[in-house]
Amino acid sequence: MIRLFVPDPLHAGARFPLAEDQAHYLTNVMRRAVGEAVLAFNGRDGEWRASVAEAARRRCVLAVEEQTRPQSARPDLDLVVALVKRARLETIVEKATELGARRIRLAITRHTNADHTNLARLQAIAVEAAEQTGRLDVPEVVGPEKLERLLDGWDGGRALVFCDEAGEARPLLEAVRAAGPAAVLIGPEGGFSPEERARLRSLPFVTPVSLGPRILRADTAAITALALWQAGAGDWARHDIAP
Ligand code: SAM
C-alpha cells in the first residue's frame, strides 16, 4: 500500500489536503480514486490508514481512519558524512534512511571537494526512502558544517564512531557494543587529513574503527558502517520491522 509522509496531525477523523506534488502523485500518477486507501505517517503519531476523500486534478484530501502502527523509537544513531560527489551523496542519504539513521549531518573537511549541496533535494530523497522502507519517521539532513565546528560543539554523551581508513583501529563490530546515542563518521573521497585524524583520535568521545583491510568508497563505507552498528548495537537484533 502507498505510504505518504505528511506534516499534519494524524488521528481518527482527521481530514487534510495533501501537498500539491503528493496530490499529483497519488491521483494522476498512481491513479488512486475516492475511497481507496493509503498509509500516512508524520514522525509523531505512528502510521494510520487513510482513504482518499476528494480527488481532483491538483487537489487530494485524505480522511484518516485507524492507526496501523504506534509510533516507536528507533536507535539514536546519526551519520556524519563528508560532502562527496552528488550522486554518491544521494545514495548515502537514501541508504542511511533505509538503515535507520536518526539524522544525517553533512560535514566539510580538509579534502571535501564541495562546500555546499542541495539540501532540499537530499531531504526529499530521505522522505521517499522513509516511505519505501516502512519507517515511521524521516531523518533530518542538516549542514553542511565544518568538521572542526561540529567537533567543538559535540554532545559528549553521543559516542562518535570514527571510520578511519588510515589508522590502526579495531573492527567496528568489536569496538561498538553499547547501544546508547551514537554517530558514525565517514570521510570524503580524499580521506581525512593527518591533522583531522590526530584531533579525532585525541577526543574522549571518539572510537576509531576499521571497516576491514580494503579502502571503501564513501557510499560503501557509510552503508557498511551503519549496517555493522545496527547489527552490533542497533535494532537488527530485534525483528519487529515494518511488514
Ligand atoms: N580515495 C577513495 C575514494 O575516492 O573513495 C577512498 C576514500 S574513503 C571513501 C573515505 C572514507 O570512507 C574514509 O575517510 C573512511 O571514513 C571510510 N573508509 C573507507 N575504507 C575504510 C576502512 N577500510 N576502514 C575504515 N574506514 C574506511
Side-chain angles (χ1 to χ4, degrees):
M1 194 182 287
I2 291 175
R3 298 183 78 247
L4 294 173
F5 177 68
V6 296
D8 310 81
L10 294 170
H11 54 80
R15 283 172 78 100
F16 53 83
L18 288 175
E20 199 170 312
D21 59 336
Q22 286 183 316
H24 169 70
Y25 167 71
L26 197 58
T27 53
N28 302 326
V29 176
M30 302 307 288
R31 300 202 171 285
R32 290 300 187 272
V34 170
E36 291 197 80
V38 297
L39 293 173
F41 66 105
N42 61 11
R44 305 182 301 279
D45 302 330
E47 179 187 80
W48 289 73
R49 198 188 62 247
S51 58
V52 176
E54 289 175 38
R57 191 157 166 63
R58 287 220 170 276
R59 176 175 163 76
C60 179
V61 173
L62 293 187
V64 180
E65 291 159 358
E66 67 171 339
Q67 190 179 56
T68 49
R69 282 194 290 154
Q71 192 67 29
S72 59
R74 33 115 202 87
D76 188 353
L77 172 64
D78 288 359
L79 171 67
V80 181
V81 60
L83 286 183
V84 291
K85 289 190 181 69
R86 187 173 64 83
R88 276 189 205 285
L89 191 58
E90 292 181 359
T91 299
I92 290 172
V93 167
E94 181 182 75
K95 300 313 168 195
T97 303
E98 292 171 43
L99 289 165
R102 174 192 74 124
R103 184 173 51 161
I104 301 166
R105 302 182 71 174
L106 305 176
I108 296 169
T109 67
R110 177 83 181 65
H111 294 145
T112 39
N113 45 29
D115 59 3
H116 64 282
T117 184
N118 183 339
L119 270 185
R121 174 159 173 72
L122 294 176
Q123 194 63 65
I125 288 169
V127 168
E128 200 172 317
E131 290 171 340
Q132 176 276 324
T133 201
R135 282 182 63 148
L136 295 173
D137 66 339
V138 176
E140 188 189 7
V141 184
V142 295
E145 188 178 3
K146 281 193 178 300
L147 180 62
E148 298 83 22
R149 277 177 50 99
L150 200 143
L151 295 175
D152 291 345
W154 194 263
D155 161 11
R158 180 175 297 279
L160 181 54
V161 180
F162 162 37
C163 295
D164 184 356
E165 78 282 6
E168 284 307 305
R170 287 191 296 160
L172 190 152
L173 256 186
E174 196 185 287
V176 171
R177 278 332 220 180
V184 163
L185 171 61
I186 302 291
E189 280 96 347
F192 288 102
S193 73
E195 298 74 19
E196 287 165 342
R197 294 186 57 245
R199 181 176 181 199
L200 281 160
R201 282 174 171 266
S202 71
L203 295 169
F205 52 77
V206 171
T207 304
V209 297
S210 165
L211 296 177
R214 287 168 293 281
I215 297 293
L216 310 176
R217 290 248 188 232
D219 44 356
T220 316
I223 293 167
T224 305
L226 290 172
L228 288 173
W229 192 93
Q230 287 289 22
D235 63 7
W236 282 13
R238 300 188 343 247
H239 298 287
D240 58 354
I241 58 170

